[in-house]
Amino acid sequence: MIYLVNELLDISRIEGGKELQLIKSEGDLLEVVNNVLEEQKGLISQKSLKLNLDTEGKTSLMVNMDKEKIRQGLTNLVDNSAKYGKRNGSITASLYKPDGKHILVEITDHGIGIPVQDLPRIFDPFFTGENGRLAPESTGMGLFLAQRICAALGHTITAQSQLGQGASVTITFSTASITHGVDAVVWP
């Protein structure tokens, strides 16, 4: 319940153009991803989905982040994958370091996918798209909030999908300029 209240407060701040306080520090992204997957196990098992975690053998991946906000964004991504995943399908969380400057977290499902005409708008507030309307609990705010959190922290988020085959959402974290302390960010 606290999680939902905090998410609604963040959305209200973003929509109102007010500052959102971020507590940025170097942290273990793998630990945050593991916590999110553990929290979402109930929803994942309800749809009889298989959960895979691919870390390329890494036991720790340090990035600049606000742990709570990144947890919130990743929760939205895993929740979407579970919501739109096909029963008895799978969700894969992959963490990898393609070069010395970035760490990527990719959440992939083998669900219903996103129509190509909807992809350019999936990070817009309140946009649910054609397939989004299939889940009555969809608000169109999860990906919007995840994108705004990533932007505020200097990370990027992208999505790819093939209709009927699933979707993949990737957050690219920069390992440069680790910041400690509290920053205030004004949303555009």
Side-chain angles (χ1 to χ4, degrees), residues 113-145:
I114 304 166
V116 68
Q117 70 272 14
D118 288 349
L119 272 172
R121 296 192 53 212
I122 62 170
F123 297 110
D124 291 351
F126 303 107
F127 183 74
T128 56
E130 183 180 322
N131 284 345
R133 294 181 200 104
L134 299 175
E137 67 274 15
S138 293
T139 63
M141 294 305 287
L143 290 176
F144 166 72
L145 187 56

Side-chain angles (χ1 to χ4, degrees), residues 3-15 20:
Y3 169 77
L4 182 60
V5 170
N6 286 334
E7 189 161 275
L8 291 172
L9 286 171
D10 286 343
I11 291 168
S12 176
R13 287 182 187 110
I14 292 168
E15 289 296 298
L20 180 66

